[in-house]
Amino acid sequence: MTIAYVSGASSGIGRGAAVRLAADGATVVLLGRDEKRLAEAAQECGPNAVTAAFDAADADAVDAALPGLIERTGPPDVVVHAAGMTVVGALDQLTPAQWHQQIDVNLTSIYSLNRHLWPAMVTAGGGSVVLVGSTASFAGFPADAAYVASKGAVLAMTKAMALDGAPVGIRVNAVCPGFILTPNLQGFFDAQPDPDAASAGAASAAPLGRMGTPADVAGAVAFLCSAEASFVTGTSILVDGGLLARVPS
């Protein structure tokens, strides 16, 4: 039985990935901050799903929760790092607290979780790790400096982890979503001067003519975690409806 750990699993892309992996037969361990929403997500993942409520951006909380959880569930075969958020603002407008919050959630959480999950995977003989990047891993967005910085770093981290993982049987890749309709993206829209116009603009930005769904991203995650991707590591899959393929006119 495949054991899949998914951070940020209470909503959005993380929840979509957890549901898909469960549908493909994995026992899913859902990590997130909101115990109630985790329980709701676990219901979609079947009776074998396990939940653990803690803040992945809090290194002390991770250190307290993960060792016992791994002992309880067994080592992961699959890890999906989907915890994320958006702090809106140009770099000079961000407070130190906002900057650190963005980096801690989108980047440091991967480090903190990986300190426990990676050695367990090595001991068990390998597996697959998927990080969630963004179109912002490749291109900038105005008034979104900390988010863009964090997602660019996620892509670089993916490559470095893949090199470290190759000798021990761990593949590491990233999915890079475009505009995916999630609570996080809705919060970004709500922070804009005209939220309705921002939402409409996102829906029309991709050549496919719509925003994506968490299930769209989950399909790419499932592929990267599968045997079909056994020779795929250190790379990323854009799930953006063609957004970055088009030169703006």
Side-chain angles (χ1 to χ4, degrees), residues 223 226-232:
F223 165 70
S226 73
E228 277 88 21
S230 63
F231 200 56
V232 180

Side-chain angles (χ1 to χ4, degrees), residues 100-121:
H100 288 295
Q101 181 187 31
Q102 181 71 97
I103 298 302
D104 286 348
V105 173
N106 287 11
L107 195 62
T108 307
S109 67
I110 299 171
Y111 160 75
S112 297
L113 292 168
N114 190 68
R115 289 184 61 245
H116 299 278
L117 297 174
W118 186 278
M121 295 180 80

Side-chain angles (χ1 to χ4, degrees), residues 10-69:
S10 62
S11 67
I13 290 171
R15 183 168 179 165
V19 171
R20 173 59 187 269
L21 292 170
D24 288 349
T27 294
V28 181
V29 182
L30 300 98
L31 312 178
R33 291 179 298 176
D34 190 316
E35 190 169 359
K36 180 176 181 294
R37 290 197 298 170
L38 280 177
E40 293 169 352
Q43 288 185 334
E44 296 184 68
C45 295
N48 294 325
V50 175
T51 63
F54 60 89
D55 186 355
D58 182 337
D60 290 338
V62 173
D63 289 345
L66 259 291
L69 186 61

Side-chain angles (χ1 to χ4, degrees), residues 186 189-200:
Q186 187 59 54
F189 292 152
D190 291 343
Q192 305 307 308
D194 187 340
D196 290 339
S199 177

Side-chain angles (χ1 to χ4, degrees), residues 202-222:
S204 64
L208 291 184
R210 65 173 176 87
M211 283 188 276
T213 68
D216 291 322
V217 183
V221 171

